[in-house]
Amino acid sequence: MLGVLVFCHLTALGGVISGMNNSTGVLNKVNGKRLPINWPRIEKNIGFQMCLRKCEAMSYCLSINFNRVLLECELNDRKKNDTNDLVDDGNYFYTEIVRTDHSNLCGEEFCNNISTCITMPGNKNVCIETDCSQSAPGIPNGKIVQRTYSPDIVTYRCYGFIQTTCCPPGGKWTSLDYQCEWQTTRLVGSNVSFEGRVEVYLNGFWGTVCDDEFEMADANVVCSSLGYPGALQVLPSAAFGNGSGQILMDNVACLSSEISILECDYVDFNSQNCGHYEDVGVICEH
């Protein structure tokens, strides 16, 4: 069972903005008017200032219609002009956004300092609203298992433990009280670091891994846990020499999502039937 370490204390994300950032500006709010748009993006149950913030964070948004009765925010990809003028509607405010800073290119968009560029499925880059202007902290050997941007929260998995850190609006990331810095896997028996006999640290001892049913999915977990992009080859039959001590793992079965081979299913040294002539080795991408 995964342990859980949580360091976030989330407060209500109100929508109050004390001033505009230096990359965008706002024209005067027009009461009782809206811009007729056939298919605007609509955000429900938010205040006017948060509606304004969302528009600022999305580079396609040029104006907003805000319904003050239903608390609905319409994010428009255009402004009023001679052919598309405002219409009367007592329930609405209309406001335009003025953008002057195009310093953060994100695909075909420009992100400002309250949005961040992320890669969506299909390798499409888009700007997503974020509550924190700082970059998320990293954990050596840790793996991000969940990421949200509003609120700004990162959840890491670190050798079986879950840790969450967050950044409140206008604040800084909460501190991380531990790091994934201990080593549980190593490659030995070669004069280069990217290949060797697989050895793991388990129950206070270093030992080897049997080659029975050891496949590329298992090798990929080994290599990625050591900082390599993946594995190139599995080398069975003690290709890097016979190890010593205990054979700690047999019949390893990884799913490729693990951050350590110790998270994979395996048969432990009390049940395995291997000899050191079956010690497995890998060659990692480098």
Side-chain angles (χ1 to χ4, degrees), residues 232-247:
L232 291 175
Q233 190 176 357
V234 174
L235 296 175
S237 304
F240 293 98
N242 291 5
S244 60
Q246 293 178 326
I247 301 172

Side-chain angles (χ1 to χ4, degrees), residues 24-82:
T24 57
V26 179
L27 296 181
N28 291 333
K29 181 169 62 177
V30 182
N31 294 325
K33 299 283 186 178
R34 67 177 178 86
L35 185 67
I37 299 291
N38 290 331
W39 302 104
R41 172 173 172 173
I42 298 178
E43 300 280 345
K44 297 184 178 182
N45 299 317
I46 64 173
F48 173 74
Q49 295 291 349
M50 184 58 76
C51 176
L52 189 62
R53 181 189 178 100
K54 286 184 177 292
C55 186
E56 286 188 284
M58 300 173 185
S59 63
Y60 73 85
C61 183
L62 300 179
S63 67
I64 59 175
N65 297 322
F66 182 74
N67 189 319
R68 57 186 173 181
V69 176
L70 299 178
L71 296 181
E72 289 185 351
C73 171
E74 298 179 4
L75 304 173
N76 306 327
D77 62 357
R78 65 200 70 178
K79 301 179 180 180
K80 70 179 182 70
N81 54 42
D82 292 339

Side-chain angles (χ1 to χ4, degrees), residues 164-182:
T164 297
T165 179
C166 64
C167 183
K172 296 182 179 181
W173 288 96
T174 52
S175 62
L176 302 172
D177 287 354
Y178 81 97
Q179 301 290 314
C180 292
E181 293 177 340
W182 60 89

Side-chain angles (χ1 to χ4, degrees), residues 73-119:
C73 171
E74 298 179 4
L75 304 173
N76 306 327
D77 62 357
R78 65 200 70 178
K79 301 179 180 180
K80 70 179 182 70
N81 54 42
D82 292 339
T83 60
N84 193 27
D85 204 357
L86 300 180
V87 297
D88 293 330
D89 194 322
N91 293 338
Y92 279 84
F93 302 136
Y94 170 79
T95 300
E96 294 182 355
I97 302 296
V98 179
R99 301 184 183 275
T100 59
D101 182 7
H102 287 174
S103 59
N104 188 6
L105 180 62
C106 178
E108 298 179 354
E109 300 183 299
F110 294 96
C111 301
N112 60 23
N113 67 344
I114 59 169
S115 61
T116 189
C117 184
I118 66 169
T119 302

